[in-house]
Every structure is written in C-alpha cells, then in structure tokens.
Amino acid sequence: MGDRTMHIGELADRLGLSQRSLRHWDEIGLLTPSGRSDGNFRVYSEADEAKGRFVMLMKPLGFSLDEIAELAASRDASPQHPLAALSPERRAHFADAARSRGEKLRRDLAAVDDFLALTDQE
C-alpha cells in the first residue's frame, strides 16, 4: 500500500476536503483508496495523498471532472512526468486553459486589491 496509511478522515483533513468529497472521488474513480481495513473502511497511502494534491491543483482551473480524470490517469502512468501520457494537442489544450484561467484569476485578484484599497481610505 505505501509507507504510511490513513483513514478517510485524516486524508480529508490533510487535503482540506470533506469526507463526502473523497467518497465521491472514490465512486467516480478519481481517487480510489489503496485498500480497505478489516472493518471495510477506506485506507489511503501517502501516494494516494499525493494524487489527491495533484487533483486539487485542477480545482481552481475550472477543469471538468472528465478532464481532471484524464489528467490524473496521465499522472498515474508517469508520476514523475504527469502530462507525458497526453498527446501534444491535449497538453496544449490544458496549458491554454490554465493560462486563460490564470489570467482571469489575476484580474479577479486585482479587483479585490482595488476594493481593499478603497476600504483603507476611510
């Protein structure tokens, strides 16, 4: 399974997610636990946690669950080079989408900064 294992509650805390989200990820095959305990509880490894952190990178980028699953599958195929299993066209698609979303997030953050500057004037 891996060096250290943990139950769903610990992994949820470590990732900043709800247990419900992790159960959903398991149901859709996005993050399957490495095993089950004698009591049939989900057991996660440190490798599962690393995969969960990788999936978390996709959340602010607005990728669909299918796209996140595609990226996760590519990472599973080559953890050291997570996008290596994707075609050049798919890598370009994800890079373009991430750039576009990043630009929007930077504009949104600038708007927050502008608003906070107004609140400091009072």
Side-chain angles (χ1 to χ4, degrees):
M1 250 192 255
D3 298 338
R4 183 181 176 288
T5 61
M6 64 199 94
H7 289 282
I8 193 169
E10 182 178 352
L11 182 60
D13 288 344
R14 289 174 141 214
L15 294 178
L17 290 171
S18 67
Q19 291 182 34
R20 182 177 179 190
S21 292
L22 286 175
R23 285 186 196 97
H24 178 66
W25 286 8
D26 181 15
E27 290 167 9
I28 64 173
L30 193 56
L31 182 62
T32 304
S34 293
R36 294 276 181 162
S37 70
D38 291 339
N40 204 31
F41 294 105
R42 291 169 175 87
V43 177
Y44 294 91
S45 67
E46 290 175 333
D48 296 329
E49 180 181 358
K51 183 176 180 179
R53 290 191 185 287
F54 179 79
V55 169
M56 297 285 293
L57 290 174
M58 306 309 124
K59 288 182 71 171
L61 299 175
F63 293 132
S64 70
L65 284 176
D66 287 340
E67 289 174 318
I68 293 171
E70 180 182 358
L71 289 162
S74 178
R75 181 200 174 274
D76 287 347
S78 178
Q80 298 301 330
H81 304 283
L83 305 184
L86 300 175
S87 70
E89 294 81 12
R90 289 305 283 164
R91 282 195 302 271
H93 161 76
F94 285 116
D96 290 345
R99 263 188 228 95
S100 175
R101 181 68 175 140
E103 289 168 9
K104 182 182 182 324
L105 288 169
R106 281 187 281 282
R107 286 191 305 273
D108 290 347
L109 185 56
V112 169
D113 290 341
D114 290 346
F115 176 78
L116 289 174
L118 292 173
T119 65
D120 290 340
Q121 293 177 3
E122 294 181 17

